[in-house]
Amino acid sequence: MENEKKGTAIVITSGKGGVGKTTTSANVGSGLAILGKSVVVVDADIGLRNLDVVLGLENRIVYDIVDVVEKNCRLKQGLIRDKRFDNLYLLPAAQTRDKSAIKPEQMIELINELKEIFDYIIIDCPAGIEQGFQYSIAGADQAIIVTTPEISAVRDADRVIGILEAKGLHNPKLIINRIRPEMVKRGDMMNREDIEDILAIDLLGIVPDDEEIVISTNKGEPAVIERRSLAGNAYMNISRRIIGEEVELLDLDNNGEGKFTKILKLLFSK
Amino acid sequence: MKRDMVTFKGINEGIYLEVYGSDIELIKKELDEKISKQLNFFQGMKFLGVKAEGLTPEQVLEISLILKYKYDFVFDTEEDPLNRASKIFVEKDRISDDLSEGMTKFLYGTLRSGQVIEYNGNIVVVGDVNPGAVLKATGNIIVLGVLKGVAYAGLGGNNDAIVAAYDFMPTQLKINDIIVRAPDGGISQYRSPEVAKIYDGEIIIEPYLPNK
């Protein structure tokens, strides 16, 4: 860790719960670390922390974000180094407190401190638009909106984009999570264009619905690391786009299977 | 309810008399009633003295003399009863030598994520401790169920404290100031009670094997 870095703080938010904010935070954080950036992922979901579990770091928590903010410990004591990447750190949320434990001003101070140490600060925002959301976005320079192809999630995303703009966080980027190409093809699911039409913000990436995410979450190993899955590759591409590389969108029709298996499936599906 | 003016209290070394109020006549009357009801109970017991904040030394002496000569109380020493009484006052907070390992808090049911139990003494959980729950004790921690949360025992300098659980899978463990965490990756489950303690400056975890 070097000093005087002036990193970028990105908040991952969605409004609606359960659309994949924490999964996205873990994978984008790990992806940026794979690309050689120094990264800290901040779990802002006080009282309902998960990011530590998804990263497989739960057993290392001694101090948390509230301890750091209340100065019960030094910032570096609160930071947990990832077990796979030396340049990835986690600042865990407190589990025994609630969202009233942190004020936006304290968060801004914290993020500014982190910016001097890291290239990227990924803030995993809690669901909702209350206190937790308010302090999570307070220190952020950029925002990533995660949504799923459901009208309810898109509606909440739209609301959040409006609030972010009112708070001066312009041009958020969109991640469409858990898309199912075969459903889109059948016309049973909103497609990328439908969602982009409504939200009218830049698309950062599309992540397919993938069993591998469930498996990797339960193992505490972000999918982006092994990259056996389409979702893992999608998150890697998103990470590349964040650092400014131009990467084409994944071909989601290729469902992780080779062409040969596809032909076989077609032949035997009747 | 009206508070009794005179109360006999038992501690390890014997019994003593605690007196409230300052009306000596009323106190003497209540004392007579009390003793006449339970005279057999007091006979043969070692009497330590009188504790009375509202009475003058002369009045305390008067009560002591009544007990000694009217009711044949066996006095602990020939010492001045006043001195004894002041010593008892110090001893009152000490419960008994047999409880030197401290008090114990019992908890029934499942402790869930986000719950913190802190206790100056031992903690016994009759139930499970889920991941995210925290137990902090200055003494020992015993879980009669699955321990998956965080357990801090012997806080404040007790190296002899133990943590024991029927199913021992804590996320994190601390005894006195030594802290350890669960190994990464799958833990091979040891389906038998286990005990953690400090041995040679390290925390060791061993199966609990009754000597049978």
Side-chain angles (χ1 to χ4, degrees):
Chain A
M1 293 197 277
E2 13 179 324
N3 270 341
E4 306 303 319
K5 274 221 164 167
K6 212 59 203 169
T8 311
I10 305 173
V11 62
I12 314 265
T13 183
S14 69
K16 192 174 180 301
V19 297
K21 287 180 295 297
T22 301
T23 308
T24 301
S25 302
N27 280 287
V28 167
S30 302
L32 290 169
I34 291 171
L35 294 171
K37 302 292 179 188
S38 65
V39 185
V40 59
V41 283
V42 179
D43 191 348
D45 202 349
I46 299 170
L48 289 169
R49 73 174 177 212
N50 284 143
L51 191 51
D52 55 316
V53 181
V54 176
L55 286 167
L57 301 174
E58 184 184 18
N59 56 13
R60 287 161 168 78
I61 298 177
V62 177
Y63 297 109
D64 53 52
I65 188 169
V66 177
D67 290 320
V68 171
V69 162
E70 290 181 349
K71 309 244 189 279
N72 296 331
C73 71
R74 282 174 286 116
L75 174 59
K76 290 198 178 174
Q77 288 178 301
L79 293 171
I80 298 170
R81 190 167 70 204
D82 185 71
K83 54 187 174 191
R84 294 150 294 235
F85 306 109
D86 287 348
N87 49 341
L88 176 62
Y89 285 78
L90 165 72
L91 183 55
Q95 184 67 344
T96 56
R97 304 289 292 272
D98 60 48
K99 308 280 193 285
S100 62
I102 292 189
K103 291 185 181 64
E105 311 82 65
Q106 295 174 309
M107 194 69 176
I108 293 169
E109 193 189 327
L110 172 67
I111 299 296
N112 281 336
E113 252 181 279
L114 290 171
K115 277 185 187 175
E116 286 173 16
I117 311 173
F118 296 97
D119 295 325
Y120 286 97
I121 296 100
I122 306 294
I123 305 155
D124 184 18
C125 178
I129 50 171
E130 296 82 17
Q131 295 180 66
F133 169 81
Q134 300 292 351
Y135 65 64
S136 297
I137 64 168
D141 306 308
Q142 296 172 19
I144 292 176
I145 309 286
V146 182
T147 188
T148 55
E150 286 145 29
I151 195 72
S152 51
V154 173
R155 191 67 56 86
D156 288 1
D158 191 49
R159 172 94 175 95
V160 165
I161 294 166
I163 299 173
L164 289 175
E165 269 168 8
K167 295 266 175 191
L169 259 176
H170 298 289
N171 302 322
K173 304 278 185 286
L174 178 67
I175 291 177
I176 302 172
N177 193 16
R178 243 181 259 154
I179 204 148
R180 293 170 65 172
E182 75 286 5
M183 281 185 78
V184 174
K185 231 178 273 173
R186 270 187 278 144
D188 293 335
M189 185 178 265
M190 297 171 88
N191 66 20
R192 172 194 157 184
E193 286 78 20
D194 298 333
I195 299 168
E196 281 186 289
D197 276 351
I198 300 170
L199 299 182
I201 57 172
D202 295 340
L203 186 67
L204 186 63
I206 300 179
V207 183
D209 197 22
D210 197 330
E211 285 184 4
E212 201 62 38
I213 291 290
V214 180
I215 298 167
S216 71
T217 298
N218 289 342
K219 274 203 270 181
E221 290 259 329
V224 75
I225 297 167
E226 292 270 341
R227 271 204 280 160
R228 281 168 297 150
S229 57
L230 261 185
N233 281 312
Y235 277 123
M236 196 66 225
N237 288 351
I238 288 169
S239 308
R240 287 185 189 285
R241 290 185 199 110
I242 290 173
I243 64 167
E245 290 182 27
E246 297 234 349
V247 190
E248 279 196 31
L249 283 176
L250 270 185
D251 175 17
L252 294 183
D253 287 340
N254 182 352
N255 215 351
E257 304 163 338
K259 275 204 173 112
F260 185 65
T261 9
K262 272 199 140 178
I263 295 165
L264 277 180
K265 270 199 172 169
L266 272 176
L267 283 173
F268 290 104
S269 61
K270 294 182 182 172
Chain B
M1 211 182 88
K2 192 179 131 264
R3 192 179 194 180
D4 284 353
M5 277 186 291
V6 298
T7 326
F8 284 98
K9 296 210 165 168
I11 58 175
N12 236 13
E13 293 86 350
I15 57 168
Y16 66 94
L17 181 68
E18 206 167 68
V19 181
Y20 295 99
S22 53
D23 188 332
I24 184 75
E25 291 311 317
L26 276 177
I27 288 168
K28 280 199 283 192
K29 196 167 152 251
E30 196 175 314
L31 188 65
D32 281 338
E33 283 170 12
K34 270 238 161 100
I35 294 178
S36 60
K37 262 191 256 168
Q38 323 168 29
L39 186 58
N40 293 340
F41 179 74
F42 296 116
Q43 273 168 353
M45 276 193 152
K46 218 195 274 175
F47 187 72
L48 302 171
V50 181
K51 188 187 156 212
E53 275 157 18
L55 298 182
T56 63
E58 291 76 27
Q59 289 169 325
V60 171
L61 189 63
E62 190 185 343
I63 292 177
S64 299
L65 293 176
I66 293 173
L67 290 171
K68 190 165 182 178
Y69 295 107
K70 188 170 172 190
Y71 295 108
D72 290 332
F73 270 52
V74 186
F75 272 64
D76 186 27
T77 58
E78 289 308 313
E79 224 181 304
D80 180 356
L82 283 176
N83 285 337
R84 280 305 294 171
S86 62
K87 277 187 205 161
I88 292 163
F89 184 66
V90 177
E91 283 170 16
K92 205 189 127 197
D93 289 332
R94 223 191 61 211
I95 298 148
S96 157
D97 287 337
D98 303 335
L99 281 173
S100 59
E101 68 265 29
M103 301 288 276
T104 300
K105 182 159 189 76
F106 282 81
L107 299 151
Y108 300 90
T110 307
L111 293 176
R112 298 171 193 284
S113 186
Q115 287 182 291
V116 188
I117 308 295
E118 285 187 81
Y119 192 65
N120 185 7
N122 311 300
I123 297 178
V124 174
V125 181
V126 187
D128 295 343
V129 180
N130 283 354
V134 185
L135 301 175
K136 294 179 181 178
T138 53
N140 307 314
I141 294 176
I142 314 282
V143 179
L144 299 175
V146 192
L147 171 59
K148 285 184 175 169
V150 172
Y152 292 173
L155 291 179
N158 182 357
N159 253 323
D160 297 324
I162 61 156
V163 178
Y166 194 81
D167 215 339
F168 196 85
M169 294 187 277
T171 320
Q172 216 177 67
L173 200 62
K174 187 169 165 182
I175 299 178
N176 191 359
D177 54 356
I178 304 176
I179 191 161
V180 289
R181 60 171 168 81
D184 290 321
I187 316 162
S188 55
Q189 279 196 22
Y190 193 89
R191 279 275 160 193
S192 133
E194 288 175 286
V195 181
K197 56 182 154 197
I198 294 181
Y199 181 81
D200 232 4
E202 275 183 283
I203 291 183
I204 59 158
I205 298 161
E206 53 187 19
Y208 165 69
L209 296 170
N211 297 323
K212 275 180 192 171

